[in-house]
Amino acid sequence: MSKVGQQEVRITVLPEKREMLVPVGENLLVALRRNGLDIPSPCNGAGTCGQCRVRFEQGAPTPTDGDRRFLDSQEIGRGWRLSCLHRVEGPAKIYVVPQTGRLDTKVRIDRLLELKEFSPGVSVHPLCLTAPGRNDQRADTQRLVEALGGGAAIPLPILRRLPTALRASGFVLSVVKVEDEIVDLLPSDRANDIYGVAIDIGTTTLAGYLFDLGNGRQVAVYADRNPQLKIGSDVISRIQYGQEKGKEGFAKLQSLVLHGVNALIEKMAGEAGIGTSSIYKMTVVGNPTMLHLLLNVDPTAIANSPYVPVLRDGFALKASELGLDMAPLARVEILPAISGYVGADIVAGMLYANLGERETIELLLDIGTNGEIVLAVEGRMFACATAAGPAFEGASISQGMSALDGAIYQVTVEDDEISCSVIGGKEARGICGSGLLDAVAELRAIGLIDESGRLRRTEHPLASRIEGEGTKARFLLSDGVYLTQKDIREFQLAKGAIRAGIEVILERAEISVDDIDRILIGGAFGSSLRPESLLRVGLLPQINVEKIVSLGNSAGQGAKLALGDRKVTPRLQQLIEETEYIELSFIKSFSSKFIKCMQFPTDD
Amino acid sequence: MSKVGQQEVRITVLPEKREMLVPVGENLLVALRRNGLDIPSPCNGAGTCGQCRVRFEQGAPTPTDGDRRFLDSQEIGRGWRLSCLHRVEGPAKIYVVPQTGRLDTKVRIDRLLELKEFSPGVSVHPLCLTAPGRNDQRADTQRLVEALGGGAAIPLPILRRLPTALRASGFVLSVVKVEDEIVDLLPSDRANDIYGVAIDIGTTTLAGYLFDLGNGRQVAVYADRNPQLKIGSDVISRIQYGQEKGKEGFAKLQSLVLHGVNALIEKMAGEAGIGTSSIYKMTVVGNPTMLHLLLNVDPTAIANSPYVPVLRDGFALKASELGLDMAPLARVEILPAISGYVGADIVAGMLYANLGERETIELLLDIGTNGEIVLAVEGRMFACATAAGPAFEGASISQGMSALDGAIYQVTVEDDEISCSVIGGKEARGICGSGLLDAVAELRAIGLIDESGRLRRTEHPLASRIEGEGTKARFLLSDGVYLTQKDIREFQLAKGAIRAGIEVILERAEISVDDIDRILIGGAFGSSLRPESLLRVGLLPQINVEKIVSLGNSAGQGAKLALGDRKVTPRLQQLIEETEYIELSFIKSFSSKFIKCMQFPTDD
């Protein structure tokens, strides 16, 4: 690719230790991408998003002002630079953040919303009004609305504050509007204080993203456990709790999640150094049960055939109606769902992945407690949900745990040696979902797990790590951490259900595996799974690994898009109306497919 | 008017004992109207409004089914008939209800809303939904909205009730909508329970009208004192109270009026035998201060120059926002005002009088604690307000009282005898506004009050009733009830202010008194004043008494129109935008006119 006679230098990319020859003077981002590295850059090299950061271990160039806008002095000292701002000067060793990996639960990054158009529907209007006088007896509301150019609705709480706000400020103030409604009156020096949050309410994890809606910058990110976990680990157990306790049960579940969301908001606001009353918009995604519980709407019908939710379409309300820790009149938008088990989290992922907008045939998969599957075939879309069960999230696994310090998150077998990567780098305490998948995939690859899922003692040196017999058999992964025969069975149930769902949806769409152009893995958890392992255990059909793309937390990304662009709302509605939902429990062939798919593939 | 050879009979109209010759066979309503009697008939003789009722003292015709629809058997026994349903058969004595008279404070009548179109914006939709099943997994909201034909907004409280309401009723229920919003879910057998109230919040009196919004019938009327009277008798004293006590002061004033309005609603609902939760719409009129206090919006700016209200345009909110005793999601519409002293009560009166929709030049006058004046000249409209003071409502008069039992409400001098009519027919306890006006007018007519307002002992036999001298002078009206010299001065202040306002407004419009085609007297109180007396004291300019028309409680009537027809809202907005407001305190010539107008006319 380099021109004749042009000097080339060697760049080593870590952690893979990959080496490449790059012409001196080439833009670093361009060079890395040309060599197949997937480096995020929503601004496409303009130096305005700060996402193409890499760390020089050797040969760091002089930092630029652009670097300093996105990186603090410590980071610059450690060698971090924005790759788009530098040209290749000489040989270097560069660390590039791998694009798949576990979710950081505490990250603070400064990032622009990745939007085609930034139009959150929240606006600030600094006003300098004339005071009433003999020749101007206009009413306060009239004075205000005319200065805003008309068309502003005034709710009662603002009407009550208006006369004092006008007179205390000498008729100079700023008005915050959400869509056409006035939601706040600010002193004129606080005109820039408008923020918004995107919230992803997972059954296990709550994730929040705080944005400055003045400039579209992400100013804080935070994730924490869903406090409803103490009631039950999955949606069904929470619905059962609500049913048993009556109205108070659901009120309790609502109060728990509200508490969790408010804690998230306060944490992020504290980190960004803003007041929560400056947050004027929230978009919320999650599975249907989570969103029903957030609204304290009885989700019982979701748990029983025919699994009907109360609410499917998008729903907007005011923060004060729920008691959220934001501006009382802030707009809260619950994004729409497709069915009782294909929720706003999936629809947000479809939005983020631009599903249905390309000619290609794409399969979107979100793996968590449930596995949701969406297939897009030339504009037509099909969706289904499988009860994968909590195996992937560690709940039904003997030493299962969340992706926290001490969890084995990656397992590799090389040269007859097993190595386990542990979060935090310390001693292993248990195993999380991605570790479970890897462990099963690696043991299957070396034949210590047979086609039916049984642990078997072969000639392989690692067979010595198998202890016990039959259903009591177990494999020693690391000091004190075992993969048991029962764990493998749980895993088979989960992966079998998802794969059977894929089979049903392909059949409905009359598509074969070979027709699939891309498999998109969405969900914060799903994205942490290694594509090779997913193929090896047969959770995914046999497809070229290059066709598998991890989207990261696609639900959260979709929620961010809806936060930053109000024009997304009609697109979401269109997505749910265009998608055909397939209820797997009504499909006769599903059970036989499920049983078949619990088996492991026989050849790799 | 009768044809040659047609037989004519004599009809005596009571209480005036007026006689007229009417051709046999002529419709009675037509005959009475042709002879100049002002008989209400919004349905224009169609037999559907029940308002043209007259009472036969002699010659009653056989009652028809139409009579029985609007009159009960007792009324029919006493001779009441609907005049539009009968032809003249022979000589008769007929009592026709005078169209001016005091406001009945407790009346229960069954009356259809006098509307061109009945379209309250509240509707009931009985639904028989299909239950969810394998082939119909639609969400509850989707199921409901599609059955309604789309376009229905669902607020959170309804969303919460929805799953239980659907399943408890077997998916057969009725939905109540206000505009496009679902406000209630009813068992299907309560489908007809939709009601609305029109409320007129006067400084002194609260009046309420309860309507069945299914058929447009008025089912109850009630009036009571404004509980804020214990804080102060006029708007200024209430604003001062609020200012002195701070936020709690205005909160207290709000709580008092809410208490009063809720008591009114409960009384009417009890009388009609309905639950208050079946009331889904309210329209409210009143002067701007009263409506600010209802909303707990600080009205202080209204009290100080340049007398600016916070709110001028119409304002809609939910009953639950104020704690009104109605369906929680009921729509409450505060009608718009023109300025800080020309309020929704006046705008409602303009609507009721169709002001500005005719070619004629008309003056609308609402006399109460304040006197509001609107002039319509070929589509242009002018408005002003005068601080008439509380004289007309009895507050600053030595023996003044409201129009309750024991109040002298009419005074006549005939053949050198004075006669006082007392409400309830018992002994006089004091004097109300209409009695005060009559007393002054009659004493002025016989010369016992001179041009300057001084009581003087003339040769007239009634001069013997004058006691005392100078400022202590007083005239004995009835046993124990006097009209004092100070009362006359208070009256002069009030009538002088209103007359001066009329002069200013005519000057601004470049109109002379002779150009006026009609003077419309609006307001429950103003309508009880005798036109002859208004002319005699010079409150009105000298004009043919025939041109003076009493509208009754025009504010309440206008509120009813807005209750029954949502299309009225844009007309109200048009009225306030087309009216030029004149602030009298900014008009230099006003004080000199005021002083001049306090004098009484010299020739009758």
Side-chain angles (χ1 to χ4, degrees), chain A residues 7 32 129 148 167 195 209 266 411 476 485 539 550 554:
Chain A
Q7 193 198 341
L32 294 171
L129 304 171
L148 288 168
R167 286 164 186 83
Y195 294 87
Y209 309 85
E266 281 151 32
V411 179
L476 178 67
Q485 182 64 62
L539 186 146
S550 284
S554 50

Side-chain angles (χ1 to χ4, degrees), chain A residues 46-295:
Chain A
T48 54
C49 76
Q51 289 194 45
C52 64
R53 43 166 65 185
V54 298
R55 182 164 54 77
F56 284 81
E57 296 211 338
Q58 281 178 18
T62 312
T64 66
D65 289 348
D67 288 320
R68 290 200 185 84
R69 274 176 56 212
F70 293 96
L71 303 164
D72 62 28
S73 55
Q74 273 202 333
E75 287 170 323
I76 285 172
R78 289 205 305 272
W80 286 100
R81 300 288 184 276
L82 300 190
S83 59
C84 75
L85 296 177
H86 296 277
R87 297 191 174 276
V88 175
E89 298 174 353
K93 278 191 182 173
I94 300 175
Y95 177 81
V96 173
V97 189
Q99 283 307 295
T100 57
R102 79 186 175 89
L103 169 76
D104 280 329
T105 53
K106 295 183 191 184
V107 192
R108 192 192 186 288
I109 36 174
D110 231 40
R111 190 184 287 184
L112 286 168
L113 261 174
E114 303 167 23
L115 294 172
K116 291 171 195 154
E117 200 164 342
F118 179 63
S119 164
V122 180
S123 53
V124 186
H125 307 263
L127 299 178
C128 189
L129 304 171
T130 52
R134 286 193 164 218
N135 296 316
D136 181 358
Q137 284 189 288
R138 284 177 301 163
D140 291 354
T141 52
Q142 197 183 350
R143 188 173 304 277
L144 191 74
V145 171
E146 286 179 8
L148 288 168
I154 303 179
L156 185 58
I158 296 297
L159 185 70
R160 286 187 174 143
R161 285 168 51 196
L162 187 59
T164 310
L166 289 178
R167 286 164 186 83
S169 69
F171 291 85
V172 177
L173 78 174
S174 287
V175 169
V176 182
K177 275 171 67 179
V178 176
E179 304 294 342
D180 283 336
E181 187 174 71
I182 297 178
V183 298
D184 211 353
L185 305 172
L186 298 178
S188 51
D189 60 347
R190 279 187 47 213
N192 292 320
D193 289 3
I194 54 166
Y195 294 87
V197 280
I199 300 279
D200 176 14
I201 301 183
T203 310
T204 307
T205 305
L206 305 178
Y209 309 85
L210 179 64
F211 279 84
D212 182 332
L213 294 185
N215 58 19
R217 274 178 185 278
Q218 182 168 299
V219 293
V221 180
Y222 200 75
D224 210 340
R225 285 162 65 85
N226 185 332
Q228 290 174 340
L229 281 168
K230 70 179 184 191
I231 304 282
S233 65
D234 55 40
V235 299
I236 299 300
S237 61
R238 293 183 204 171
I239 292 176
Q240 279 169 349
Y241 172 88
Q243 279 182 285
E244 282 160 19
K245 304 277 176 180
K247 278 188 187 300
E248 285 143 45
F250 290 120
K252 166 82 174 172
L253 284 159
Q254 181 193 34
S255 143
L256 284 170
V257 69
L258 282 176
H259 193 271
V261 172
N262 279 338
L264 216 63
I265 295 173
E266 281 151 32
K267 196 86 187 176
M268 290 190 291
E271 212 170 303
I274 67 157
T276 55
S277 62
S278 299
I279 307 175
Y280 295 105
K281 184 178 176 184
M282 175 188 276
T283 49
V284 190
V285 297
N287 68 56
T289 300
M290 287 307 109
L291 300 188
H292 279 60
L293 293 178
L294 176 72
L295 297 173

Side-chain angles (χ1 to χ4, degrees), chain B residues 306-329:
Chain B
Y307 316 108
V308 170
V310 179
L311 182 66
R312 180 197 70 145
D313 298 307
F315 192 80
L317 68 166
K318 291 197 197 308
S320 57
E321 290 184 80
L322 292 181
L324 286 166
D325 196 354
M326 308 165 68
L329 296 169

Side-chain angles (χ1 to χ4, degrees), chain A residues 418-551:
Chain A
I418 187 160
S419 78
C420 295
S421 304
V422 178
I423 298 178
K426 297 181 188 157
E427 201 175 323
R429 294 191 296 123
I431 186 164
C432 69
S434 60
L436 174 70
L437 170 69
D438 275 0
V440 174
E442 294 290 305
L443 297 188
R444 173 66 192 136
I446 59 174
L448 293 189
I449 294 177
D450 72 10
E451 190 190 343
S452 73
R454 199 164 50 90
L455 275 171
R456 64 174 180 192
R457 289 189 174 80
T458 64
E459 300 303 307
H460 196 282
L462 289 175
S464 61
R465 286 177 166 249
I466 298 177
E467 302 171 11
E469 293 297 330
T471 57
K472 302 281 184 194
R474 58 183 192 171
F475 180 90
L476 178 67
L477 287 169
S478 177
D479 281 351
V481 179
Y482 291 89
L483 177 74
T484 71
Q485 182 64 62
K486 194 176 150 292
D487 294 343
I488 299 168
R489 294 301 180 205
E490 288 287 338
F491 176 84
Q492 285 178 280
L493 287 170
K495 76 106 186 172
I498 294 173
R499 176 65 184 276
I502 294 173
E503 297 298 318
V504 167
I505 212 167
L506 291 175
E507 206 171 277
R508 171 69 64 97
E510 297 175 335
I511 288 295
S512 82
V513 172
D514 295 336
D515 296 327
I516 299 174
D517 294 300
R518 287 210 299 175
I519 294 183
L520 311 169
I521 308 288
F525 171 73
S527 300
S528 69
L529 303 175
R530 281 204 299 172
E532 293 81 359
S533 297
L534 291 171
L535 289 170
R536 203 171 275 167
V537 299
L539 186 146
L540 294 182
Q542 293 312 306
I543 194 172
N544 185 336
V545 71
E546 303 281 315
K547 291 184 175 177
I548 302 174
V549 179
S550 284
L551 295 178

Side-chain angles (χ1 to χ4, degrees), chain A residues 231-400:
Chain A
I231 304 282
S233 65
D234 55 40
V235 299
I236 299 300
S237 61
R238 293 183 204 171
I239 292 176
Q240 279 169 349
Y241 172 88
Q243 279 182 285
E244 282 160 19
K245 304 277 176 180
K247 278 188 187 300
E248 285 143 45
F250 290 120
K252 166 82 174 172
L253 284 159
Q254 181 193 34
S255 143
L256 284 170
V257 69
L258 282 176
H259 193 271
V261 172
N262 279 338
L264 216 63
I265 295 173
E266 281 151 32
K267 196 86 187 176
M268 290 190 291
E271 212 170 303
I274 67 157
T276 55
S277 62
S278 299
I279 307 175
Y280 295 105
K281 184 178 176 184
M282 175 188 276
T283 49
V284 190
V285 297
N287 68 56
T289 300
M290 287 307 109
L291 300 188
H292 279 60
L293 293 178
L294 176 72
L295 297 173
N296 191 10
V297 171
D298 185 342
T300 301
I302 296 176
N304 305 314
S305 176
Y307 316 110
V308 170
V310 178
L311 182 67
R312 180 196 70 145
D313 297 308
F315 192 80
L317 68 167
K318 291 196 197 310
S320 58
E321 289 184 81
L322 291 182
L324 285 166
D325 196 353
M326 309 165 67
L329 296 169
R331 180 179 172 88
V332 177
E333 288 182 10
I334 310 289
L335 302 196
I338 288 170
S339 72
Y341 287 99
V342 180
D345 45 356
I346 307 306
V347 179
M350 292 165 71
L351 175 78
Y352 178 64
N354 284 319
L355 217 64
E357 290 189 354
R358 283 177 295 267
E359 296 287 296
T360 47
I361 296 177
E362 297 181 314
L363 189 74
L364 171 67
L365 196 60
D366 190 311
I367 305 169
T369 308
N370 288 304
E372 294 93 347
I373 305 157
V374 185
L375 178 68
V377 183
E378 292 158 1
R380 288 161 71 214
M381 281 178 289
F382 304 86
C384 68
T386 63
F392 282 119
E393 295 188 338
S396 60
I397 300 304
S398 55
Q399 286 177 279

Side-chain angles (χ1 to χ4, degrees), chain B residues 53-125:
Chain B
R53 44 166 61 185
V54 297
R55 182 165 54 76
F56 285 81
E57 297 212 338
Q58 281 178 16
T62 312
T64 67
D65 288 347
D67 288 320
R68 289 199 185 86
R69 276 177 53 211
F70 293 96
L71 304 163
D72 62 26
S73 56
Q74 274 202 333
E75 288 171 320
I76 285 172
R78 289 204 305 273
W80 287 99
R81 300 287 185 278
L82 301 190
S83 60
C84 75
L85 296 177
H86 296 277
R87 298 191 172 278
V88 175
E89 298 174 352
K93 279 192 180 170
I94 300 174
Y95 176 82
V96 173
V97 187
Q99 285 305 297
T100 57
R102 78 187 176 89
L103 169 76
D104 280 327
T105 52
K106 294 184 188 181
V107 192
R108 190 192 187 288
I109 35 173
D110 232 42
R111 191 185 286 183
L112 286 168
L113 263 175
E114 303 165 24
L115 295 171
K116 292 172 194 153
E117 200 166 340
F118 178 64
S119 165
V122 180
S123 53
V124 187
H125 307 262

